[in-house]
Amino acid sequence: MSSTDRRVDREGANSGSSSAGDGSEGPVALGFDVGGTNLRAVVLADDGSVIRRMRATSPTGRPDQLVDDILAIAEALDPGAPLGVGIAGLVDRDGAVRFSPNLDLHDLALEQRLAARRSGPVAVVNDASAAALGEQRAGAARGKANVVAVTIGTGVGAGIVADGRLLLGSHGLASELGHVIIEPGGPRCACGRDGCLEAVASGNALTRRGQHAGIGDAHDVVTAAQQGNATAAAIISDVAAHLGAALASMVTLLDPQVIVIGGGAGQAVAPWLIPGVQKQLANLVFCASMRTLPDVVAAALGDDAGAVGAAIFIAERTDRRSQ
């Protein structure tokens, strides 16, 4: 495990919002969240709590290293538990990563490669879909059957739970909100197109706008906004307007009960983002006055959301197959 040890932080079971308490039961599944920057892993208990965590740097553009790192961390956490992986990018129903611009991956048969080297069930799904499932089953949207979750980090992802079931689409490629064109002819996205939501409403977009304004990266923009900097606050408000416009279309199409805003950047800017999104929903949702608009809330599971959701995804799939 030498290639992984250099980049892994081991985190105690009692840190974070979904930590296991003294009464937690044994491990039921492992969950991984592979984003454009960080790779996170959790051991999920039978009661839905997190027993242990590990974190590493995502090996961008190195598919062999990614497979090795996931397997090494899984071996260290629990060699025999079912393994679920949520990963940024287009993931088909066979668990292959067809395209991940932020991880520089193309046609990686990730589920197949992991299953070939590990005994026990393996499943791979889009990371934002995993986060949506985690928040719906165990987080901010618990008890709600119709949920849209948005993750804002390096990029922008989304997941949909409709009538209690994770919506994957006919090819497994549903919910790619980050690559809906929101500003035709706008900034170039990492996917190679112009004007995607991700190009104007992601952590990378905050950094680009912040540097152009002489403020700094996304973290600096958030800090400046917290200190009352009007330019920083205006940048975040613009992000909220773009995100709200995209989500208004999601509400018109899907009629969810709640929208969950998560991801590292999303949670950092939530105090500005949520009111801006709510305003856009009121202005842009079709027949907004004739329906109850969805609540817009911050994610409850924090950095655990995608990994917890991936663990739930494989645990539920395993249960269905055993029945």
Side-chain angles (χ1 to χ4, degrees):
M1 190 177 158
S2 59
S3 64
T4 304
D5 283 339
R6 289 191 298 271
R7 299 190 310 282
V8 169
D9 295 327
R10 297 172 183 265
E11 301 177 357
N14 293 321
S15 62
S17 61
S18 56
S19 301
D22 292 338
S24 63
E25 302 176 32
V28 64
L30 302 181
F32 281 72
D33 180 8
V34 185
T37 303
N38 294 308
L39 183 158
R40 304 178 188 277
V42 303
V43 182
L44 197 68
D46 285 334
D47 63 2
S49 61
V50 173
I51 299 173
R52 285 195 293 162
R53 298 174 178 81
M54 292 180 75
R55 182 179 62 200
T57 302
S58 295
T60 303
R62 293 176 289 160
D64 293 342
Q65 187 66 57
L66 176 62
V67 173
D68 288 345
D69 285 359
I70 291 173
L71 289 168
I73 293 171
E75 184 71 18
L77 288 174
D78 191 313
L83 171 61
V85 177
I87 185 167
L90 288 169
V91 181
D92 67 19
R93 283 189 169 271
D94 295 323
V97 184
R98 303 299 300 276
F99 178 42
S100 177
N102 293 316
L103 283 163
D104 191 20
L105 298 175
H106 303 264
D107 293 321
L108 171 63
L110 184 57
E111 184 173 316
Q112 179 181 340
R113 290 184 61 173
L114 292 172
R117 294 174 54 186
R118 181 177 172 83
S119 61
V122 175
V124 177
V125 68
N126 171 267
D127 63 336
S129 291
L133 187 65
E135 291 291 343
Q136 191 268 337
R137 296 287 198 267
R142 185 196 294 262
K144 305 294 186 181
N146 294 283
V147 178
V148 171
V150 181
T151 58
I152 306 174
T154 304
V156 176
I160 299 166
V161 177
D163 294 331
R165 297 177 64 88
L166 186 63
L167 181 65
L168 298 177
S170 58
H171 299 92
L173 308 181
S175 309
E176 285 292 337
L177 183 66
H179 297 287
V180 170
I181 301 296
I182 196 72
E183 187 179 318
R188 178 60 55 95
C189 182
C191 74
R193 304 191 306 163
D194 295 332
C196 291
L197 179 65
E198 185 168 296
V200 296
S202 63
N204 282 347
L206 282 172
T207 292
R208 186 188 70 253
R209 294 279 301 274
Q211 290 174 343
H212 181 75
I215 297 173
D217 63 15
H219 180 269
D220 296 325
V221 172
V222 173
T223 300
Q226 290 170 338
Q227 295 172 349
N229 184 292
T231 300
I235 290 171
I236 297 173
S237 293
D238 192 49
V239 167
H242 282 107
L243 180 63
L247 286 170
S249 293
M250 294 281 272
V251 172
T252 299
L253 288 168
L254 299 168
D255 195 27
Q257 296 161 283
V258 61
I259 295 172
V260 180
I261 307 290
Q267 291 188 280
V269 299
W272 299 272
L273 208 59
I274 290 175
V277 169
Q278 289 171 324
K279 181 179 179 180
Q280 288 289 73
L281 297 185
N283 290 336
L284 300 177
V285 170
F286 177 65
C287 291
S289 63
M290 299 175 65
R291 67 173 88 204
T292 300
L293 290 174
D295 294 328
V296 184
V297 301
L301 298 182
D303 292 338
D304 286 342
V308 167
I312 292 171
F313 184 77
I314 183 59
E316 292 184 356
R317 175 187 282 189
T318 304
D319 285 345
R320 286 195 299 270
R321 289 179 176 177
S322 65
Q323 291 174 356

